[in-house]
Amino acid sequence: MKVVIIGGVAGGATAAARLRRLDENAQIIVLERSGYVSYANCGLPYYIGGTIQNEKALTLQTPESFKRRFNVDVRVQNEVLAIRPEQKSVTVRRLSDGTTYEESYDKLILSPGAKPVRPNLPGINHERIFTLRSVEDTFRIHRFVEENAPKRAVVVGGGFIGLEMAENLTHLGLSVTVVERLNQVMSPIDYDMACGVHAYLKDKGVSLFLGSSVEGFEPADDGLRTILDKGRTLTSDMVILAIGVTPETHLAKEAGLRLGQRGSIAVNDRMETSIPDIYAVGDAVEVRHFVTGSETLIPLAGPANKQGRIAADNICGRDSRYKGSQGSSVLKLFDMTVAATGINEDAAKKAGIEYDKVITFTASHATYYPGASNMTVKTLFDPQSGKVLGAQIVGFEGVDKRIDVLATAIRAGMTVYDLEELELSYAPPYSSAKDPVNMAGFAAVNVLDGTVKQYHWHDVPALPKDGSVTLLDTRTDEEYARGHIDGTLHIPVDVLREHLSELDPSKPVYVNCQSGLRSYIACRILSGHGYDCYNLSGGWRFYDLVKQNGGFDTAPAHPCGLAIEK
């Protein structure tokens, strides 16, 4: 059996190694357009920023090492020009000399990946504008920084690559501005959760232009101008274009394979395309979303590796199935960690899925043990069954392990009732006896069983101002003095029982505290005395965070910041 694989990064390299482990006699050929195979593209920004200093660390395998260990014929700088399903062959060009040749196959695996979006804007091809996809791109940016010592950078796009590049360029001493068309960074998380990221980026000296579109670029005496909507211009020394990726599927299209969303390659759960003996894996394929059941694109390394393994299994006569992607992802941003799994509110609304949500604010480990930091956890669940639909966490220590527990819960079809019961490891340096995942379960079950009714930050503006409801703040005097919701009555929770006479039992009471815990206790007190009570999910802290750090423009805080013109 002869298997040809187009593309040698995550999905293609994994498929090649798995094929060899299953079939020692197969002839396996990997055709890779770039000069590198099986490289760590998720680590590329960290080489630019200096965290990874050895460029050889970026390549997990070389053609020579692949040959030695797996007896796989890896041909770098070999670009496939066409697929000919009728002849079961591909046309290949050697980039070293431009010559072409035909390569036959019994089975073909497509792993072309996705390419950075590069819109047709004025000045888009300027030499100071960079995208980041390959090792070659990384070296190009690294060389520019070393040779030109830039002071200012504009990053267009607030997703994973954009924010990782913003962090790494900041580490190099550049003043960085992120321009994002949406009103938030990091679209896998909801707007309200992203507001915490906005505040943190601002604190780190990164400027944000949210809800802003780039209309073009033009050279300037002192660098490169990025032209925004609303008549604004940013002048910088370099621009990183990170506005997303699109499946690189022109070969599949020309070969007549059935395509899916945004031109992706349509596959079944065995990773088979619409043409026999051709498989496809990785960022270029359409997958089923594990939670919604709808077809989607989720370009992540974990799913690509699993798909490569499944394609190899099926080529070798096994029956492996891909059960869908749920978009589990995590981002390091300076010292902050941002993570998500399953669906967010926007995705639930688009899919027509009914949901409820809780916001919990919990410490990463026992607070009496030094070094604990708080994390904000947002959990989405089915309001009828309690099934966990999605989760987002923004914080510092311990975020990654909590999101992995919640990702596992979603994959296992667990409910928030199950989250209450999870027995997770505990020692003071690592967690609390009631882990943040347990706490999310407790809060959600309290909502489901009617122990507490809640309202959210976005409900506050619509609360009646005519005196028909009572707004109650149960924080301390000091906390209340630092800021509060207009019109609130202030009674600290520890003296609430002595001041019940100040509340009208005929009026609903909307309670808040700093994080939602003390106000929950207040609601239980008030409910026990016959009051109709509602608790502010996430508390004043979350409400104020969203209010203060929503869509905004910030002037650079760095002393050598960008020139901003109206």
Side-chain angles (χ1 to χ4, degrees), residues 75-274:
R75 305 174 190 174
V76 296
Q77 295 188 325
N78 276 241
E79 180 182 17
V80 176
L81 301 178
I83 302 169
R84 308 185 190 283
E86 300 83 5
Q87 290 82 28
K88 299 187 76 170
S89 69
V90 296
T91 303
V92 188
R93 177 168 57 199
R94 300 180 184 90
L95 297 182
S96 58
D97 59 14
T99 59
T100 62
Y101 64 95
E102 294 291 313
E103 192 68 58
S104 64
Y105 65 82
D106 296 313
K107 305 288 185 180
L108 179 66
I109 300 177
L110 306 181
S111 183
K115 59 184 177 182
V117 173
R118 199 176 182 99
N120 185 23
L121 295 173
I124 191 69
N125 295 317
H126 194 281
E127 61 183 7
R128 290 176 178 262
I129 300 175
F130 303 90
T131 57
L132 182 60
R133 179 192 185 188
S134 65
V135 175
E136 288 90 345
D137 294 336
T138 307
F139 292 161
R140 193 176 301 115
I141 297 171
H142 189 270
R143 185 166 56 249
F144 177 86
V145 171
E146 282 198 331
E147 293 176 356
N148 295 274
K151 297 286 193 299
R152 308 158 299 176
V154 168
V155 176
V156 183
F160 288 95
I161 293 295
L163 294 187
E164 287 170 351
M165 284 302 302
E167 174 192 352
N168 281 280
L169 291 174
T170 300
H171 283 322
L172 292 176
L174 279 74
S175 173
V176 179
T177 291
V178 175
V179 179
E180 170 56 54
R181 181 178 56 84
L182 301 176
N183 66 346
Q184 66 167 89
V185 300
M186 287 299 292
S187 60
I189 65 176
D190 286 315
Y191 166 80
D192 49 11
M193 295 292 283
C195 288
V197 184
H198 300 165
Y200 184 70
L201 283 168
K202 187 167 62 172
D203 183 61
K204 288 295 183 180
V206 176
S207 300
L208 297 178
F209 281 76
L210 302 175
S212 296
S213 298
V214 173
E215 297 185 345
F217 306 90
E218 62 183 23
D221 293 338
D222 54 347
L224 177 66
R225 291 194 186 95
T226 300
I227 304 167
L228 306 183
D229 57 357
K230 305 172 187 175
R232 295 171 300 184
T233 300
L234 303 175
T235 302
S236 65
D237 302 307
M238 63 185 299
V239 171
I240 302 294
L241 205 59
I243 57 177
V245 295
T246 185
E248 191 161 0
T249 56
H250 67 280
L251 289 174
K253 181 179 180 180
E254 292 165 3
L257 274 68
R258 185 169 66 85
L259 302 181
Q261 293 189 36
R262 291 170 50 197
S264 59
I265 304 171
V267 294
N268 62 17
D269 59 359
R270 291 167 53 89
M271 309 315 298
E272 296 169 323
T273 70
S274 58

Side-chain angles (χ1 to χ4, degrees), residues 45 58 74 93 248 261 341 458 463:
L58 296 174
V74 176
R93 177 168 57 199
E248 191 161 0
Q261 293 189 36
T341 187
H458 48 77
L463 292 177

Side-chain angles (χ1 to χ4, degrees), residues 282-324:
D283 293 353
V285 304
E286 181 183 68
V287 297
R288 183 179 66 84
H289 196 288
F290 185 80
V291 177
T292 68
S294 60
E295 302 302 318
T296 188
L297 289 173
I298 300 180
L300 293 170
N305 278 276
K306 294 179 183 68
Q307 293 158 15
R309 181 183 177 93
I310 289 169
D313 281 357
N314 288 304
I315 287 173
C316 292
R318 300 192 175 197
D319 185 20
S320 291
R321 308 277 175 164
Y322 189 66
K323 298 179 181 179

Side-chain angles (χ1 to χ4, degrees), residues 514-537:
Q514 190 69 11
S515 68
L517 177 58
R518 283 171 289 171
S519 51
Y520 162 66
I521 295 169
C523 273
R524 294 307 304 149
I525 294 171
L526 292 169
S527 296
H529 288 272
Y531 289 84
D532 182 20
C533 189
Y534 298 81
N535 185 32
L536 179 58
S537 180

